[in-house]
Short mmCIF file of all heavy atoms in Angstrom, two decimals:
data_model
loop_
_atom_site.label_atom_id
_atom_site.label_comp_id
_atom_site.label_asym_id
_atom_site.label_seq_id
_atom_site.Cartn_x
_atom_site.Cartn_y
_atom_site.Cartn_z
N ILE A 33 -4.79 7.37 -19.24
CA ILE A 33 -6.23 7.81 -19.17
C ILE A 33 -6.15 9.35 -19.22
O ILE A 33 -5.33 9.91 -18.40
CB ILE A 33 -6.91 7.40 -17.93
CG1 ILE A 33 -6.97 5.92 -18.01
CG2 ILE A 33 -8.27 8.02 -17.80
CD1 ILE A 33 -7.52 5.29 -16.63
N ARG A 35 -7.41 13.11 -18.37
CA ARG A 35 -8.13 13.52 -17.19
C ARG A 35 -8.38 15.06 -17.37
O ARG A 35 -7.39 15.81 -17.50
CB ARG A 35 -7.50 13.19 -15.98
CG ARG A 35 -8.29 13.64 -14.75
CD ARG A 35 -7.64 13.25 -13.40
NE ARG A 35 -6.19 13.15 -13.49
CZ ARG A 35 -5.36 12.70 -12.56
NH1 ARG A 35 -5.91 12.29 -11.34
NH2 ARG A 35 -4.04 12.64 -12.67
N HIS A 58 -9.29 -7.93 -21.73
CA HIS A 58 -8.80 -7.72 -20.39
C HIS A 58 -8.17 -6.31 -20.17
O HIS A 58 -7.43 -5.95 -21.06
CB HIS A 58 -7.68 -8.68 -20.08
CG HIS A 58 -8.24 -10.17 -20.08
ND1 HIS A 58 -8.26 -10.92 -18.96
CD2 HIS A 58 -8.71 -10.94 -21.02
CE1 HIS A 58 -8.73 -12.07 -19.20
NE2 HIS A 58 -9.02 -12.11 -20.48
N LEU A 62 -3.80 0.69 -12.83
CA LEU A 62 -2.90 0.84 -11.76
C LEU A 62 -3.40 2.14 -11.11
O LEU A 62 -3.39 3.17 -11.65
CB LEU A 62 -1.43 0.93 -12.34
CG LEU A 62 -0.37 1.53 -11.20
CD1 LEU A 62 -0.17 0.34 -10.16
CD2 LEU A 62 0.84 2.01 -11.89
N GLN A 67 -4.09 9.30 -0.50
CA GLN A 67 -5.03 10.36 -0.86
C GLN A 67 -6.13 9.88 -1.67
O GLN A 67 -6.33 10.05 -2.84
CB GLN A 67 -4.25 11.34 -1.75
CG GLN A 67 -2.89 11.98 -1.17
CD GLN A 67 -3.26 12.88 0.06
OE1 GLN A 67 -4.29 13.52 0.00
NE2 GLN A 67 -2.39 12.86 1.02
N ASN A 69 -9.64 9.72 -1.66
CA ASN A 69 -11.13 10.09 -1.84
C ASN A 69 -11.47 10.32 -3.24
O ASN A 69 -12.40 9.84 -3.84
CB ASN A 69 -11.41 11.32 -0.94
CG ASN A 69 -11.33 10.82 0.65
OD1 ASN A 69 -11.23 9.68 0.81
ND2 ASN A 69 -11.30 11.89 1.46
N MET A 100 -8.50 0.47 4.88
CA MET A 100 -8.63 -0.79 5.48
C MET A 100 -8.46 -0.81 6.97
O MET A 100 -8.83 -1.83 7.70
CB MET A 100 -7.40 -1.69 4.90
CG MET A 100 -7.58 -2.01 3.46
SD MET A 100 -8.99 -3.17 3.06
CE MET A 100 -10.10 -2.10 2.19
N ALA A 105 -16.84 -0.66 13.92
CA ALA A 105 -17.34 0.69 14.42
C ALA A 105 -16.86 0.70 15.79
O ALA A 105 -17.31 -0.19 16.75
CB ALA A 105 -18.81 0.71 14.38
N GLN A 114 -13.77 -0.22 5.95
CA GLN A 114 -13.17 -1.34 5.23
C GLN A 114 -14.24 -2.18 4.44
O GLN A 114 -14.07 -2.57 3.32
CB GLN A 114 -12.46 -2.33 6.28
CG GLN A 114 -11.85 -3.49 5.47
CD GLN A 114 -11.36 -4.52 6.58
OE1 GLN A 114 -12.05 -5.32 7.10
NE2 GLN A 114 -10.03 -4.49 6.84
N LEU A 121 -15.28 -1.61 -4.14
CA LEU A 121 -14.30 -2.11 -5.08
C LEU A 121 -14.71 -3.28 -5.74
O LEU A 121 -14.55 -3.67 -7.08
CB LEU A 121 -12.90 -2.22 -4.44
CG LEU A 121 -12.29 -1.04 -3.96
CD1 LEU A 121 -11.03 -1.20 -3.19
CD2 LEU A 121 -12.02 -0.08 -5.13
N GLU A 178 0.17 -5.50 15.71
CA GLU A 178 -0.15 -5.76 14.26
C GLU A 178 1.04 -5.93 13.49
O GLU A 178 0.90 -6.66 12.45
CB GLU A 178 -1.02 -4.64 13.77
CG GLU A 178 -2.42 -4.61 14.46
CD GLU A 178 -2.99 -3.23 14.53
OE1 GLU A 178 -2.87 -2.53 13.41
OE2 GLU A 178 -3.70 -2.93 15.49
N ILE A 183 7.27 -8.66 11.06
CA ILE A 183 8.37 -9.00 11.85
C ILE A 183 8.79 -10.49 11.59
O ILE A 183 9.97 -10.83 11.33
CB ILE A 183 8.28 -8.63 13.35
CG1 ILE A 183 8.08 -7.00 13.49
CG2 ILE A 183 9.59 -9.11 14.09
CD1 ILE A 183 9.32 -6.25 13.11
N ALA A 184 7.81 -11.34 11.78
CA ALA A 184 8.02 -12.79 11.68
C ALA A 184 8.52 -13.13 10.36
O ALA A 184 9.49 -13.91 10.19
CB ALA A 184 6.73 -13.51 11.92
N ARG A 239 12.18 6.79 20.25
CA ARG A 239 12.72 7.46 21.41
C ARG A 239 12.92 6.45 22.52
O ARG A 239 13.98 6.55 23.17
CB ARG A 239 11.49 8.37 21.87
CG ARG A 239 11.53 9.78 21.14
CD ARG A 239 10.49 10.69 21.84
NE ARG A 239 9.99 11.72 20.90
CZ ARG A 239 10.75 12.73 20.45
NH1 ARG A 239 12.00 12.89 21.01
NH2 ARG A 239 10.28 13.52 19.53
N VAL A 253 9.44 0.79 6.23
CA VAL A 253 7.90 0.60 6.00
C VAL A 253 7.52 0.19 4.51
O VAL A 253 8.16 0.65 3.69
CB VAL A 253 7.12 1.88 6.41
CG1 VAL A 253 7.30 2.21 7.91
CG2 VAL A 253 7.55 3.17 5.59
N HIS A 255 4.60 1.17 3.22
CA HIS A 255 3.78 2.30 2.71
C HIS A 255 4.24 3.61 3.28
O HIS A 255 3.96 3.88 4.47
CB HIS A 255 2.35 2.11 2.96
CG HIS A 255 1.75 0.76 2.26
ND1 HIS A 255 1.85 0.54 0.90
CD2 HIS A 255 1.23 -0.34 2.82
CE1 HIS A 255 1.34 -0.63 0.70
NE2 HIS A 255 0.96 -1.17 1.74
N ASP A 278 8.28 1.12 -3.02
CA ASP A 278 7.62 2.23 -3.94
C ASP A 278 6.15 2.02 -4.14
O ASP A 278 5.56 2.49 -5.19
CB ASP A 278 8.52 2.28 -5.31
CG ASP A 278 8.40 0.94 -6.09
OD1 ASP A 278 7.85 -0.12 -5.62
OD2 ASP A 278 8.98 0.79 -7.10
N ALA A 286 13.12 2.70 -1.48
CA ALA A 286 14.34 1.97 -1.66
C ALA A 286 14.12 0.54 -2.11
O ALA A 286 15.21 -0.13 -2.41
CB ALA A 286 15.15 2.06 -0.36
N SER A 292 7.29 -8.07 -8.40
CA SER A 292 6.34 -9.00 -7.72
C SER A 292 4.97 -8.76 -8.19
O SER A 292 4.16 -9.66 -8.26
CB SER A 292 6.43 -8.64 -6.27
OG SER A 292 7.71 -8.67 -5.75
#
Side-chain angles (χ1 to χ4, degrees):
I33 296 167
R35 178 173 40 178
H58 291 250
L62 173 70
Q67 302 291 328
N69 295 347
M100 290 294 114
Q114 185 188 79
L121 296 176
E178 293 153 41
I183 295 291
R239 276 184 208 286
V253 292
H255 300 299
D278 61 359
S292 315

